[in-house]
Amino acid sequence: MVNINKKTTPKQIFRRVLVILSGLSFFSFSIFGVVKMLKSPSNANQPQQQETDSAQAILEKEAQGYKLVLQREPDNIFALEKLVQIYLSGGDLASALPLMEKLVSLQPENQSYQEALSFIKQGLAQQNNPSTNTPNPPSQSSE
């Protein structure tokens, strides 16, 4: 039974209204999120694609910046190294090759440049002639 003698104060009414409004807003935001998810389930992969696109755009901007530096200073080793790294990260061996050759010609004593150049040349050779990339199966002899 409800106690009739007890008076409800304006403070208690305010609290009840606030609790009810909070509950309704929580419920409506939850429903809104579920409905949105059900309407467009194909957008689940979209943020990852946007991240990939933005990373690619950042690399392209960096490459353009290093190219501008090389126009002013063709022997800038730092810009050459970074541009080679960008090309290699994108798998563009053909663009990285002349830059790496220039690095080797600028610093022939640098072993890491020479090793990187040989790896780039090997990679290009494998891309141009993929049939030599496959190992031959061992021949079986019958005894």
Side-chain angles (χ1 to χ4, degrees):
M1 274 196 159
V2 177
N3 191 354
I4 299 174
N5 293 336
K6 187 177 182 184
K7 289 186 177 181
T8 54
T9 64
K11 200 174 193 180
Q12 290 173 332
I13 292 173
F14 178 73
R15 284 184 185 166
R16 287 183 184 165
V17 169
L18 186 63
V19 168
I20 291 170
L21 287 177
S22 298
L24 287 175
S25 65
F26 175 75
F27 181 72
S28 64
F29 281 119
S30 299
I31 293 298
F32 177 73
V34 170
V35 168
K36 187 177 177 182
M37 184 179 69
L38 292 175
K39 276 188 173 181
S40 58
S42 63
N43 290 343
N45 293 332
Q46 190 174 6
Q48 184 178 7
Q49 181 64 31
Q50 288 175 347
E51 289 175 11
T52 304
D53 291 344
S54 65
Q56 184 67 25
I58 289 170
L59 284 178
E60 288 175 10
K61 283 184 180 182
E62 285 183 15
Q64 289 300 322
Y66 291 125
K67 287 177 185 177
L68 289 173
V69 169
L70 289 174
Q71 285 176 357
R72 286 180 275 141
E73 304 172 42
D75 295 340
N76 187 315
I77 292 176
F78 181 78
L80 286 167
E81 285 178 353
K82 290 298 184 178
L83 201 51
V84 166
Q85 288 175 356
I86 291 170
Y87 286 143
L88 291 179
S89 69
D92 190 0
L93 298 177
S95 296
L97 179 65
L99 299 173
M100 199 69 231
E101 288 174 339
K102 186 165 188 168
L103 279 170
V104 168
S105 70
L106 290 173
Q107 293 188 349
E109 70 280 354
N110 191 330
Q111 277 303 112
S112 62
Y113 288 167
Q114 292 177 7
E115 290 172 5
L117 180 62
S118 67
F119 285 126
I120 291 171
K121 286 181 178 179
Q122 287 175 357
L124 283 172
Q126 288 177 353
Q127 285 179 354
N128 293 335
N129 194 7
S131 62
T132 61
N133 196 14
T134 57
N136 293 331
S139 61
Q140 301 238 344
S141 62
S142 58
E143 291 182 18

